Amino acid sequence: MSDTDILDRLGAHRLVPVVVLDDAAHADPLAKALVAGGLPVAEVTFRTAAAPDAIRAMSARGDVLVGAGTVLTVAQVDQAVAAGAQFVVSPGTSRAVVERCQEHGVLALPGAVTATEVMAALELGVATVKFFPAGSSGGAAAVAALAAPFGGVGFVPTGGIGPGNLAEYLALPSVRAVGGSWMVPKDLVNAGDLDGIRALTAAAVALTTTGS
Ligand code: 3PG
C-alpha cells in the first residue's frame, strides 16, 4: 500500500491506538479486541522487546493496519518492516530513520512540535508528522498555531489525549488522526481483559463520530 493509502486509512479511522506489549502472545487477542471495537489499527511501540513479534502476529491476521511506534534507530526500522509494519512512528524527526523508511517504501510519521522540526520533516519529503507530546507541547491550540504557516501539513497529535480532549484535536482541519494509549491500558492488556479493551475502543470510536 502506498503512503497515501496508509494516510487515507489512518485519516478515515481518525484514531491510532498506541500499544505497549510486555508479551507478544497478547498481540493477537488485543488485535481481535480492537477489531471488535471498530478500530482495526495499532501502533505497536518498540518500548518493549515484544514489539517485532507482536507486529508479526497482528500483521498475519490481515485485518489490522499495523505500524511500529517509538522507532528510534535504523535497525528498528528494519525489524519493524521485516515484521510487517506498514507505517513507522517516531517521537522526533531523525533523518536516518526517515530515509530508511523511504528506502523500504514504508510511511514514516516522525515527531515535530516546532516550526523548525516541521521544516526539517518537509525537507525529508514528509508532510504528515506526529505532534508529540501533544498535551505538554501546548495541546490543540499549539497544533492550530503551528499548522497556520504550513498549509497541507498533516498532524497526528499524541500524548496526553483521551476522551475528554479528543474532540478539540479532531476539530482541527490539519489533524489527520489522534494517537493514544487510553483505549489499550497496560493493566487491561496484561489481565487479558479483552472485553474492557473492546468497550474502551468502541467508546473512543463513537467519540470520533459524535464528539467532533
Ligand atoms: C506515544 O508513545 O505515542 C505516547 O506515549 C502515547 O501517549 P499517551 O500514553 O499519553 O496516550
Side-chain angles (χ1 to χ4, degrees):
M1 236 184 292
S2 71
D3 286 5
T4 310
D5 290 336
I6 302 289
L7 283 170
D8 284 351
R9 283 183 66 184
L10 293 175
H13 290 298
R14 311 221 73 195
L15 288 175
V16 182
V18 176
V19 176
V20 180
L21 287 173
D22 291 324
D23 183 349
H26 293 144
D28 184 69
L30 173 60
K32 204 171 167 187
L34 288 170
V35 170
L39 187 56
V41 181
E43 173 189 327
V44 180
T45 77
F46 269 73
R47 292 179 190 195
T48 64
D53 284 344
I55 291 169
R56 200 168 285 111
M58 286 192 183
S59 298
R61 295 175 53 87
D63 60 354
V64 182
L65 178 61
V66 188
T70 321
V71 173
L72 307 180
T73 66
V74 164
Q76 288 174 335
V77 175
D78 292 345
Q79 283 182 286
V81 172
Q86 292 179 283
F87 61 96
V88 168
V89 186
S90 302
T93 295
S94 151
R95 168 180 288 275
V97 165
V98 170
E99 288 182 345
R100 188 60 143 229
C101 290
Q102 290 166 341
E103 281 164 27
H104 281 296
V106 167
L107 174 71
L109 276 176
V113 288
T114 66
T116 300
E117 290 163 4
V118 172
M119 289 174 69
L122 285 170
E123 280 173 13
L124 293 170
V126 171
T128 303
V129 294
K130 172 174 177 165
F131 183 85
F132 173 82
S136 54
S137 301
V143 178
L146 185 59
F150 297 112
V153 171
F155 293 88
V156 181
T158 307
I161 302 178
N165 57 3
L166 175 63
E168 291 169 31
Y169 291 94
L170 290 181
L172 302 176
S174 63
V175 168
R176 302 286 180 265
V178 163
S181 61
W182 81 93
M183 322 74 145
V184 283
K186 218 172 168 181
D187 53 338
L188 295 199
V189 174
N190 287 337
D193 185 352
L194 303 179
D195 204 49
I197 292 167
R198 183 202 50 74
L200 284 171
T201 302
V205 170
L207 284 175
T208 67
T209 49
T210 60
S212 63

